[in-house]
Amino acid sequence: MNLPRVIIRPPAYSRDSLARQSAPIQAAPNDATLSPSLRIAAGPKLPAFEVKFQLTEEKAAAVERFVRTRLSLDPHADATFNHQYRTTTLYCDTADFDVFYHEGPFKREKHRLRRYGHDENLFLERKYRRADRVKKRRSIIPEEELPLVFSAEMADDWDAAWFRDEILEGTLRPACRISYDRRAYFGEIDAAPLRFTFDRNIRGITTTDWNVDPFEGGTRLSEKFVVCEMKFQNEMPSFFKDLARDLAVEPGRFSKYRAFMHTVLILK
């Protein structure tokens, strides 16, 4: 796949470099509103991609006007909350922050627990990323089953046993909670599923608790920009080429988890 030139580069994090710097989604697996990385495609399974943008609010508003003419608002969002939903994600890492530093088996993987609004269900996810290509595995559990995530006593036929096993094997533990307000659009372009999201009010807090409750306050990450993501399968849709040409936007890379933890580790 030939992606447009990327001009925003992620920071080159390393232990040495940091030392030198002193309403809920209840979607079925084949629901058209889901991220393409979670969709069940008819026929051969197609690869999924995610491309991110960091845009000023003015530029994001222009992009959203463009997107709105081609895609539909996610019906799972809260119409009383400006067609957004509050997302709270608990990210896991090792005691040595191997996920943050891209080390060992966590070079391309993240494990996280997610809640939409105040819903009683939690989404357990493993996300694998290589360049712009992504794979996700997800299970949904009621909040009352959360203690089983870090317990070796649960039967292996539990729906989320795979997540529990990977947490225990990797000695993963809570590192931070990230919250943001997301407005999402979905549809099909060139006969392929496409999802476009706009994340605002991104903020985080450190934590050592298995807690996925929404929170107020925290460290703001997005006062000057909006994080946009385009998610698609197989090939870059012509929709993006129109967007890039008409609005002069180019993709970059941004990790909410690493952006927040970068600040935390520098300030230690």
Side-chain angles (χ1 to χ4, degrees), residues 150-184:
F150 48 92
S151 170
E153 299 177 0
M154 187 59 187
D156 290 337
D157 60 356
W158 181 45
D159 287 345
W162 67 271
F163 188 87
R164 183 271 319 273
D165 292 345
E166 292 180 7
I167 289 291
L168 295 177
E169 182 180 355
T171 63
L172 294 167
R173 60 184 190 177
C176 70
R177 267 186 285 165
I178 304 290
S179 176
Y180 53 91
D181 303 331
R182 167 167 287 185
R183 187 181 297 115

Side-chain angles (χ1 to χ4, degrees), residues 11-196:
Y13 298 139
S14 69
R15 299 184 196 278
D16 292 340
S17 66
L18 284 179
R20 288 194 297 270
Q21 303 178 63
S22 217
I25 291 180
Q26 298 293 345
N30 60 351
D31 189 320
T33 66
L34 277 177
S35 172
S37 60
L38 292 168
R39 289 276 301 273
I40 296 177
K45 190 171 183 179
L46 300 176
F49 299 87
E50 292 184 2
V51 179
K52 297 187 179 183
F53 315 83
Q54 294 180 59
L55 305 176
T56 65
E57 184 62 58
E58 181 180 8
K59 178 69 76 171
V63 170
E64 189 164 2
R65 287 193 295 270
F66 187 96
V67 168
R68 194 180 295 128
T69 65
R70 291 158 174 80
L71 302 177
S72 301
L73 276 167
D74 187 334
H76 301 293
D78 185 351
T80 66
F81 188 40
N82 201 15
H83 295 285
Q84 301 178 116
Y85 46 85
R86 175 68 52 83
T87 300
T88 304
T89 304
L90 175 67
Y91 286 93
C92 300
D93 209 330
T94 67
D96 294 324
F97 300 104
D98 293 322
V99 176
F100 176 84
Y101 291 113
H102 295 278
E103 294 191 354
F106 303 109
K107 185 175 182 179
R108 296 186 175 92
E109 287 186 357
K110 290 192 186 84
H111 288 74
R112 61 196 188 188
L113 298 84
R114 178 165 290 177
R115 184 197 299 271
Y116 295 99
H118 292 272
D119 188 40
E120 63 179 10
N121 290 322
L122 304 178
F123 294 73
L124 314 182
E125 294 183 352
R126 183 224 302 132
K127 181 177 182 179
Y128 174 90
R129 185 179 191 110
R130 186 182 182 93
D132 292 307
R133 184 168 177 171
V134 297
K135 294 181 181 179
K136 292 179 185 176
R137 184 174 180 180
R138 169 188 278 186
S139 291
I140 306 174
I141 63 169
E143 185 177 14
E144 63 191 30
E145 292 185 2
L146 180 57
L148 303 179
V149 170
F150 48 92
S151 170
E153 299 177 0
M154 187 59 187
D156 290 337
D157 60 356
W158 181 45
D159 287 345
W162 67 271
F163 188 87
R164 183 271 319 273
D165 292 345
E166 292 180 7
I167 289 291
L168 295 177
E169 182 180 355
T171 63
L172 294 167
R173 60 184 190 177
C176 70
R177 267 186 285 165
I178 304 290
S179 176
Y180 53 91
D181 303 331
R182 167 167 287 185
R183 187 181 297 115
Y185 296 82
F186 77 99
E188 287 191 351
I189 301 294
D190 299 336
L194 177 66
R195 185 170 170 84
F196 214 108

